[in-house]
Amino acid sequence: MSSKLLLLLLQLSLTLLSLPLSLVSAFTMSSNPTARHPHCDLPGDPSLILQTNVDLGDKKAEIMKELSALVAKSLGKPESYVAISITDNASMLFGGSDAPLALGCLYSLGSINMENNGKVQAGVTDALEAFGVAENRIYINFFDVPRENVGWNRATFAG
């Protein structure tokens, strides 16, 4: 190996040592296609998307925060990874009736199971009860999403 090439490799090594770890990981991943993305082992992204035909008024932000904490606790995930979206005043029918109702989807990387789903269903019901939404008019679909099907920060959670 030539001395110029050795010097270049030494300079590159020293440069990499002075970079933040996140940049080093990104650099080495691009040169190593089998390397795992640094976000592969993060807990994932539980997302609750909820629609209702009732007006939540000035309580909407409070309910969103309550549901964020509920999803985190019920699924055992850090709240910093929880996303909540609520659309109120939506045009909706359930069973041919426009009586107060809610439809939702909860997506998560793991932690979707009967016990956790029941906790979320009960918590959403509790949150919407004060707005006249009966427990038999709330549908939530629960999805355990494969890591390769969830994207964040320019990559998927699979790498």
Side-chain angles (χ1 to χ4, degrees):
M1 194 177 290
S2 76
S3 60
K4 284 185 181 183
L5 182 58
L6 283 174
L7 182 59
L8 180 64
L9 286 174
L10 179 61
Q11 287 174 333
L12 179 62
S13 297
L14 291 173
T15 302
L16 286 175
L17 287 174
S18 66
L19 291 174
L21 183 56
S22 59
L23 290 178
V24 174
S25 297
F27 175 80
T28 57
M29 278 183 42
S30 64
S31 62
N32 180 359
T34 62
R36 288 171 50 90
H37 191 277
H39 301 123
C40 286
D41 298 317
L42 293 176
D45 174 40
S47 302
L48 175 64
I49 301 168
L50 194 64
Q51 293 183 310
T52 183
N53 60 349
V54 300
D55 184 358
L56 301 176
D58 61 355
K59 298 287 186 186
K60 186 174 179 178
E62 181 182 320
I63 291 169
M64 291 175 71
K65 289 177 183 177
E66 177 184 336
L67 294 180
S68 179
L70 168 76
V71 168
K73 183 177 180 184
S74 298
L75 301 186
K77 304 269 184 149
E79 191 171 2
S80 61
Y81 287 99
V82 175
I84 304 291
S85 173
I86 297 179
T87 302
D88 60 347
N89 295 311
S91 299
M92 303 172 70
L93 289 176
F94 177 43
S97 168
D98 66 353
L101 71 118
L103 299 175
C105 295
L106 179 66
Y107 303 94
S108 182
L109 303 176
S111 300
I112 297 294
N113 58 53
M114 191 167 70
E115 181 182 351
N116 294 349
N117 299 354
K119 291 176 186 176
V120 171
Q121 182 74 34
V124 169
T125 301
D126 291 344
L128 296 179
E129 244 176 359
F131 297 91
V133 182
E135 61 186 25
N136 65 344
R137 305 235 348 127
I138 300 173
Y139 252 55
I140 301 176
N141 295 294
F142 298 87
F143 298 96
D144 191 345
V145 186
R147 296 182 82 74
E148 64 270 13
N149 292 343
V150 180
W152 177 71
N153 202 22
R154 296 182 179 239
T156 70
F157 280 90

